[in-house]
Amino acid sequence: MLIEEDKIEFSVENVEHLEGEDLKVLFIALNFEVYLAGPDKYTIDDPFRQTLLSSELFDAQKLNVISDIDPAFVSANASLASAFAELVNKAKHSDGTCIPRCSGGRRSLQDQDCSD
């Protein structure tokens, strides 16, 4: 409840102190732009990123998450590979270029051809 009411300051320390993956996912999802400014500061792994993809993030935010997932993890996980492909397909414009993603110093598909 405190997370949803924005009563807890979003910080690396507070994310690390949360017990339970669901609370961490909610906390990051509600503060995604702050998280995106420095995702390497947080101790999260690919299974956590997969759970984050199931959260209420916008598709543009999910594209930022998938850019950090190890391709070998995607290949070994059929359900994630399917969700990954669906998300990338939804992100295409009719001309084949990608919809711009959230910025924040992260890798971007913007201005790239997504037809591969």
Side-chain angles (χ1 to χ4, degrees), residues 10-66:
F10 187 78
S11 68
V12 173
E13 294 79 20
N14 286 338
V15 170
E16 299 298 324
H17 281 96
L18 287 173
E19 293 184 19
E21 188 173 90
D22 291 344
L23 289 176
K24 288 183 182 184
V25 167
L26 176 63
F27 201 33
I28 289 175
L30 291 174
N31 296 281
F32 193 76
E33 294 306 316
V34 178
Y35 161 78
L36 191 59
D40 297 335
K41 298 176 187 175
Y42 304 88
T43 307
I44 61 172
D45 56 12
D46 287 337
F48 181 88
R49 289 182 187 96
Q50 180 178 5
T51 303
L52 195 55
L53 290 175
S54 300
S55 72
E56 296 295 320
L57 292 176
F58 294 109
D59 286 349
Q61 294 170 321
K62 289 179 181 182
L63 288 171
N64 283 290
V65 173
I66 65 173

Side-chain angles (χ1 to χ4, degrees), residues 53-107:
L53 290 175
S54 300
S55 72
E56 296 295 320
L57 292 176
F58 294 109
D59 286 349
Q61 294 170 321
K62 289 179 181 182
L63 288 171
N64 283 290
V65 173
I66 65 173
S67 70
D68 289 331
I69 295 177
D70 183 347
F73 182 75
V74 176
S75 296
N77 187 325
S79 64
L80 177 59
S82 176
F84 186 98
E86 181 180 330
L87 185 60
V88 170
N89 278 331
K90 285 179 14 180
K92 292 181 186 176
H93 287 292
S94 60
D95 65 0
T97 59
C98 293
I99 293 172
R101 294 179 26 199
C102 299
S103 60
R106 304 296 298 147
R107 295 180 294 261

